[in-house]
Amino acid sequence: MKSVYIHIPFCKSICTYCDFCKIYYDKSLVKQYLKTLSKEIQAIYKNEPIKTLYIGGGTPSALDIDELNLLFEMLEIFDKSKIEEYTIECNIETLTKEKLLLFKNKGISRLSIGVQTFNEKLLELLGRNHTKDMVIDTINVAKEVGFNNISVDLIYGIKGTTLEDLKQDIDIFLKLDISHVSFYSLIIEPHTKLYLDDFDDIDEDLNLSMYNYINKTLKSYNYDHYEISNYAKQGYESCHNLVYWHNEEYYGFGLGASSFIGKRRYENTRSLNNYLDDKYILYEETLDDKQMMENEMILGLRLTKGVNKKRFLIKYNKRIEDVFPIKDLISKQLLLDNNDNVSIPDDKLFVSNSILIEFLD
Ligand code: SF4
């Protein structure tokens, strides 16, 4: 079974660190966009049952109730008889009780909410328009409406912040008592406002101390550190994101979305004009066996469990150690092999990129 990602690029305001595919919310464009999205889905989707459905953005919750109803009507095309998870991304300032009730009613099982921080000065720096109290109130309403599978995104490693600031954010997060958190270190990407303002990266040692503090604290509250940046209570790992990390197939529909079907990987245009003209695809490639195996390792090693050796053998008819120089990495203690899985040791996850590069030709 394949998974499905739907991209809704509209945002009511643009965050200072954002390099995602997004555009300002414009009512007149939303209808046109949804119409094109529907055409794209109908042209490509083959009526098979889907494993997970993820509505991301942008800010899907920026759509008004009528637009959301239209979106859900379009998504009825998908065969959800075997669906394992149905997520929508939201941000706090656009997430009302009415929308939460609609999501519940439409079968959404998981909310992924952009919070980033509870510190109001940092929220301003990041260009987010909510407050700590708004987060607490909204999450309480979401729970009242019946959502028990809620994830929040948080950001650490912002230059000028201290370990004490991070502790305060984690304390508030823990009091919310929710099941999942994605904790990202701030990256200053080109073309963002922070980049243009010459905002600096945080000191690397302090960033590492923050990462270690997050790991230690969340683990002590029974959050499993299951992926470099993701932590979940037992049974609440993101099924949809696991599809990516397991290198399984998915359709991506909408502006800038990417897809991976069979051995074909393709990426949609980020140009709204081209997209609305039904010129969806920007780039595509067919992967050879070596590239498939490289991706399997690079994606799978993001998981703390790592890559399952038996699964790799069944999928590629080759042993990991016959394809990649893992013996060398194991002897340098950059990889672990416990006979079932090959993984990156906990204390090396922070520098995983320098290990993953060894798997590229
Ligand atoms: S809400 Fe998300 S997609 Fe929109 S500007 Fe902010 S970070 Fe980017």
Side-chain angles (χ1 to χ4, degrees):
M1 278 196 301
K2 299 176 186 70
S3 284
V4 174
Y5 174 82
I6 304 285
H7 193 72
I8 304 295
F10 301 99
C11 291
K12 289 270 164 107
S13 59
I14 302 298
C15 304
T16 58
Y17 58 92
C18 177
D19 80 330
F20 300 132
C21 175
K22 81 283 175 186
I23 42 179
Y24 274 111
Y25 174 89
D26 174 338
K27 203 166 177 42
S28 62
L29 282 179
V30 173
K31 244 197 183 143
Q32 256 181 290
Y33 181 81
L34 292 180
K35 215 168 134 193
T36 310
L37 181 64
S38 182
K39 268 198 282 177
E40 187 199 359
I41 296 170
Q42 285 175 38
I44 295 168
Y45 170 62
K46 302 278 185 285
N47 297 322
E48 70 261 50
I50 59 168
K51 181 171 173 167
T52 62
L53 178 50
Y54 191 107
I55 309 172
T59 315
S61 62
L63 303 192
D64 67 25
I65 288 285
D66 290 342
E67 292 158 348
L68 285 166
N69 268 311
L70 193 60
L71 172 67
F72 286 120
E73 216 171 278
M74 288 163 37
L75 300 184
E76 275 169 23
I77 186 172
F78 292 111
D79 178 345
K80 303 189 199 69
S81 57
K82 300 199 172 109
I83 197 162
E84 291 170 18
E85 186 185 87
Y86 189 0
T87 303
I88 189 163
E89 277 182 0
C90 313
N91 67 10
I92 293 292
E93 64 265 35
T94 56
L95 188 55
T96 59
K97 184 168 187 175
E98 194 185 8
K99 290 180 191 175
L100 283 162
L101 286 165
L102 175 70
F103 297 162
K104 193 77 199 156
N105 189 258
K106 297 295 179 185
I108 295 279
S109 62
R110 181 172 185 271
L111 301 174
S112 173
I113 304 179
V115 170
Q116 319 315 347
T117 172
F118 302 97
N119 177 318
E120 287 175 17
K121 268 201 190 133
L122 294 179
L123 282 168
E124 202 184 322
L125 175 80
L126 298 175
R128 307 292 298 211
N129 295 323
H130 59 258
T131 61
K132 176 185 92 180
D133 291 341
M134 284 164 74
V135 178
I136 296 170
D137 291 347
T138 307
I139 287 180
N140 284 335
V141 176
K143 286 183 182 174
E144 271 165 39
V145 165
F147 287 102
N148 64 354
N149 193 348
I150 300 175
S151 175
V152 294
D153 283 356
L154 291 174
I155 291 180
Y156 70 99
I158 304 170
K159 172 121 181 143
T161 58
T162 61
L163 263 180
E164 191 48 45
D165 293 321
L166 176 68
K167 282 180 189 171
Q168 285 175 11
D169 264 0
I170 294 185
D171 285 350
I172 300 169
F173 164 74
L174 290 170
K175 284 196 191 111
L176 290 173
D177 189 25
I178 54 181
S179 47
H180 189 283
V181 56
S182 302
F183 230 127
Y184 300 108
S185 174
L186 179 68
I187 296 173
I188 317 281
E189 301 281 4
H191 311 301
T192 60
K193 182 167 186 314
L194 287 182
Y195 179 87
L196 298 173
D197 289 349
D198 284 329
F199 195 81
D200 261 343
D201 289 323
I202 197 167
D203 172 80
E204 250 181 60
D205 290 340
L206 178 55
N207 208 23
L208 177 59
S209 306
M210 288 181 167
Y211 179 76
N212 288 335
Y213 179 81
I214 293 165
N215 283 345
K216 191 181 77 185
T217 312
L218 293 182
K219 271 183 198 165
S220 72
Y221 281 84
N222 294 325
Y223 285 91
D224 177 31
H225 183 199
Y226 73 104
E227 192 266 353
I228 295 175
S229 310
N230 285 275
Y231 305 80
K233 288 273 171 79
Q234 200 184 359
Y236 287 95
E237 296 85 4
S238 163
C239 300
H240 184 82
N241 288 335
L242 280 169
V243 166
Y244 300 143
W245 297 319
H246 286 153
N247 200 25
E248 291 167 357
E249 294 175 298
Y250 55 88
Y251 291 110
F253 297 110
L255 200 65
S258 37
S259 306
F260 175 48
I261 303 290
K263 290 184 171 184
R264 185 169 164 250
R265 187 176 282 286
Y266 58 97
E267 213 175 291
N268 278 3
T269 177
R270 279 188 166 212
S271 152
L272 184 65
N273 285 339
N274 285 349
Y275 186 74
L276 295 179
D277 264 355
D278 302 333
K279 294 176 196 135
Y280 313 127
I281 297 178
L282 171 71
Y283 164 82
E284 66 175 288
E285 61 178 338
T286 301
L287 304 182
D288 60 26
D289 289 348
K290 184 77 200 306
Q291 289 169 313
M292 290 284 286
M293 290 186 281
E294 283 172 5
N295 285 347
E296 190 84 16
M297 296 307 291
I298 288 169
L299 294 164
L301 286 172
R302 295 188 58 90
L303 295 166
T304 52
K305 265 192 194 144
V307 179
N308 185 270
K309 296 174 77 174
K310 208 189 258 172
R311 206 179 123 108
F312 188 97
L313 180 64
I314 293 169
K315 213 163 161 185
Y316 300 104
N317 207 17
K318 284 194 168 88
R319 298 186 315 157
I320 296 177
E321 50 269 51
D322 295 337
V323 184
F324 299 105
I326 60 165
K327 277 199 181 119
D328 197 31
L329 292 168
I330 292 166
S331 68
K332 290 182 189 152
Q333 296 178 333
L334 296 172
L335 277 188
L336 290 173
D337 180 353
N338 70 1
N339 292 326
D340 292 329
N341 297 306
V342 173
S343 63
I344 296 180
D346 277 359
D347 63 337
K348 301 287 186 320
L349 276 173
F350 192 72
V351 291
S352 56
N353 282 346
S354 60
I355 301 170
L356 296 179
I357 215 156
E358 300 290 330
F359 289 88
L360 283 175
D361 213 356

